[in-house]
Structures are given as structure tokens and as C-alpha cells.
Amino acid sequence: MPAKIYTEKDASLTPLKGKTCAVIGFGSQGHAHALNLRESGVNVIIGLYPGSKSRKVAEEKGLKVYDTGEAVKLADVIFVAVPDTKIPAAFKKDIEPNLSKGKTLLFSHGFAVHFKTIVVQKDVNVIMVAPKGPGHIVRRQYLEGKGVPALIAIYQDPSKNSKKVALAWAHGIGGTRGGVLETSFKEETETD
């Protein structure tokens, strides 16, 4: 059976309407997701550690910046856009203590979840939206009215709404313009 390719007609921003989406980190993927989502009409905030050089950059782009823990507390969907090697420390210090039932953690790579460098409580949704290109391309394609193809995956789904949220996020960053395929955290990590 051929893989289903999700496009703009298969996705809607509705699952993100009225929600606060936090992007933790403002590097390659973080800045692209944050700016594309905001321009798609999604409420986006940024979470950074207190001394981060990215604070000024994000604020200059008109985004509200909070300390990481506060951003996690305020958000419904939290995109962990820090490097794989930094995820365990950020998770333990700022993310995990501020997670609560019903929130959604989103990753753009399955490494930390698949290799269990972090373990997320069972009442939190865990999803992935992985554009198949670096952040500056994701941003540029979006601005040109195109999109970088993306993968989505669902790891934990206590809300039973995670796939719709993943598709909405992919839609908001332009991924459904390029086409979205569903995969698993295991497969994405091992084939990346």
C-alpha cells in the first residue's frame, strides 16, 4: 500500500486555535517554526534560558520571550527545539517540572525519546514534526509560498488528538505545502 501523503486539504490550524505554542530554543529549526507559525496565525511564545543570546533576536522579531520553565507552564504545545545533546538537561531542569496532564511535547527529531535520554510522563502527548530540511530553508520556502516536506509521528497520545495537532503544526510551518508523511519515532531516528 502506498504511503498517504498529507497536503493542505488534509490539515487545518483549528487544533492550535486558542492554544499557546511555545518554541524552546531559537536556533535553526526553532526560529523557522516560530516565525512561520506566527505568520500562519498561531499564538507563539519563545522559551530560552536566562543568558541566551537568542533572547534579543527573538524579541527583535516581535516574539514574547520567557524563561524556559515559564514558557512550558504557559503553553499547551511545547516544541523542544534545542540540540539532542542538550535535551536531557533542559528537560530535567525546566521542562519536566512544568509539564502537566494534557500538554503536548513536540520534537523535530526522535532521538531523545527513542533512545530514552528523556522519559515523558504518560499523561502528556508526545509528537514529532520533522521538516526534511534545515530551518533557514523551512523559513525561505514558507516565505516563497512553498513548503519543505515533513514527517510526523505520534509516540504518546493520551488526548487522542495528537495526529490532528501534528498535522496542524506541519500545516502552520508550511510542511503540508510540500507533503507530509507519517512515520514512527524509531524509524525517523534510525533512518535520519
Side-chain angles (χ1 to χ4, degrees), residues 49-50 67-69 86-98:
Y49 63 90
D67 289 348
T68 302
K86 296 201 162 115
I87 289 175
F91 184 76
K92 192 146 215 59
K93 181 178 181 285
D94 295 314
I95 299 170
E96 189 175 35
N98 295 295

Side-chain angles (χ1 to χ4, degrees), residues 3-182:
K4 165 119 177 84
I5 298 172
Y6 297 92
T7 60
E8 299 217 283
K9 69 179 174 12
D10 303 304
S12 147
L13 289 171
T14 304
L16 299 178
K17 290 287 182 231
K19 304 259 192 277
T20 297
C21 296
V23 175
I24 309 303
F26 202 68
S28 176
Q29 290 293 338
H31 91 281
H33 287 240
L35 296 171
N36 292 3
L37 285 165
R38 182 184 66 190
E39 288 165 27
S40 291
V42 176
N43 179 31
V44 179
I45 61 173
I46 306 299
L48 295 167
Y49 63 90
S52 172
K53 291 184 189 89
S54 297
R55 280 179 174 258
K56 190 171 182 267
V57 181
E59 286 166 352
E60 283 169 357
K61 300 266 185 208
L63 292 157
K64 280 201 174 92
V65 180
Y66 297 88
D67 289 348
T68 302
E70 187 61 19
V72 172
K73 255 186 226 160
L74 292 168
D76 303 289
V77 182
I78 300 110
F79 173 33
V80 183
V82 297
D84 287 328
T85 54
K86 296 201 162 115
I87 289 175
F91 184 76
K92 192 146 215 59
K93 181 178 181 285
D94 295 314
I95 299 170
E96 189 175 35
N98 295 295
L99 282 178
S100 54
K101 181 181 179 174
K103 288 188 185 269
T104 298
L105 264 187
L106 186 148
F107 298 86
S108 63
H109 182 39
F111 187 91
V113 172
H114 177 63
F115 288 113
K116 302 204 179 335
T117 62
I118 64 166
V119 177
V120 183
Q121 65 200 52
K122 291 289 176 217
D123 59 359
V124 168
N125 303 297
V126 179
I127 64 176
M128 180 182 2
V129 177
K132 299 320 292 170
H136 66 279
I137 305 287
V138 172
R139 181 73 180 135
R140 189 171 71 218
Q141 290 280 307
Y142 178 89
L143 290 171
E144 291 173 3
K146 299 187 210 103
V148 172
L151 298 174
I152 61 166
I154 312 306
Y155 187 80
Q156 278 179 199
D157 187 19
S159 74
K160 305 291 180 242
N161 192 35
S162 292
K163 186 171 176 179
K164 285 186 171 115
V165 171
L167 281 169
W169 190 284
H171 185 58
I173 64 168
T176 51
R177 296 171 181 173
V180 173
L181 288 171
E182 191 168 2

